[in-house]
Amino acid sequence: KQALFVWEDIKTAWNDACGGGMAWKKDQLDYKNTPANAPAAIIAFRLYQRFGKKEDLEWGEKIFTWNRDQLMDPETCFVWDGMNREGDGKIDKEWKFTYCQGVMLGAALEYYRITGEKEQLELAKKIARRAVVELAGEDGIFNYEGKDDCGLFRGIYFRYLYELVMAADDCDDLKKIILKNAVSKAMRGDGLVGGDWRSVSAGEIDLAQHLSGVMVLEMAAKLVKED
């Protein structure tokens, strides 16, 4: 009941600014971004799978389509962060985060689970692979993205990446990315993982950074167990 109560409130975020989409927050209704929309699409698709309510499927399709058409590069499938943040209609293409890639590939995957349409699964794979090109180094290790909540972003990407490689047969390259990041040399003696996944971080470590490191380890452990 609580999830449905929250979902009803989330739906009030949709408005016509920027051609549709869910607002980022209630005091900035004309700012639309992937962090507000793709997770909402995931919720709608999962609610439909759980309860079979057609309205939830329609919401998921509407939100997902808007995000895909407005905030994704049609050629590379890289997902941009948001648009109209400063009221100028501009898309923040310079804001490149794993979080956006993760939730959008996750939404495409949930849509595929409902429809069985291979194009949705292929889109999820394209988003996942482009994220590696844009946001990981030549060694395949994903780069530090910033402090505070940015520390969580990589973990979110890897959560949905794992779901993808479990759903598709031709993702050996992406499985290797999960394992490679999981065995990076970032964990120190006390078990904490910092923001730099190529070396051990000294001093105080932000919990958000640590959680991403743990999430990658969890996905890798599940992957090895499945294999």
Side-chain angles (χ1 to χ4, degrees), residues 19-205:
M22 313 292 272
W24 168 236
K25 54 181 180 175
K26 293 182 178 181
D27 61 354
Q28 196 177 9
L29 297 177
D30 60 352
Y31 172 37
K32 307 297 180 65
N33 62 13
T34 297
N37 283 271
I42 291 173
I43 292 171
F45 288 143
R46 288 183 175 177
L47 285 174
Y48 175 74
Q49 291 175 76
R50 177 66 177 83
F51 299 108
K53 190 176 179 182
K54 186 178 179 181
E55 180 184 343
D56 290 329
L57 175 59
E58 292 172 347
W59 267 105
E61 291 174 328
K62 180 169 70 169
I63 300 166
F64 175 73
T65 300
W66 180 89
N67 206 139
R68 182 197 64 200
D69 293 349
Q70 300 297 328
L71 293 176
M72 188 183 78
D73 187 320
E75 295 183 2
T76 68
C77 294
F78 186 78
V79 183
W80 300 312
D81 188 83
M83 64 190 301
N84 203 43
R85 177 169 51 89
E86 297 182 350
D88 55 5
K90 179 183 176 183
I91 295 176
D92 292 315
K93 294 183 179 180
E94 70 278 7
W95 283 16
K96 298 182 177 184
F97 299 121
T98 46
Y99 173 84
C100 295
Q101 319 315 308
V103 289
M104 195 57 180
L105 79 85
L109 182 58
E110 294 299 336
Y111 198 16
Y112 163 72
R113 286 171 171 158
I114 293 169
T115 65
E117 296 173 353
K118 291 293 185 179
E119 64 182 281
Q120 307 303 338
L121 185 61
E122 290 304 311
L123 176 58
K125 289 188 283 187
K126 288 178 181 177
I127 295 171
R129 290 185 170 117
R130 191 63 193 180
V132 177
V133 173
E134 296 271 357
L135 301 171
E138 292 184 2
D139 56 1
I141 304 297
F142 275 76
N143 300 317
Y144 172 76
E145 290 184 88
K147 61 180 182 178
D148 300 325
D149 63 330
C150 292
L152 292 169
F153 293 175
R154 288 173 291 179
I156 293 169
Y157 168 76
F158 278 98
R159 172 202 293 168
Y160 291 108
L161 185 62
Y162 168 79
E163 295 291 333
L164 173 61
V165 301
M166 288 293 100
D169 296 328
D170 55 346
C171 289
D172 286 347
D173 58 324
L174 295 173
K175 289 181 180 180
K176 290 178 181 178
I177 288 295
I178 295 175
L179 296 174
K180 184 174 291 186
N181 280 268
V183 299
S184 65
K185 301 177 180 179
M187 182 175 286
R188 64 190 197 188
D190 59 4
L192 295 178
V193 181
D196 182 356
W197 286 0
R198 294 181 179 86
S199 63
V200 175
S201 298
E204 187 176 277
I205 289 179

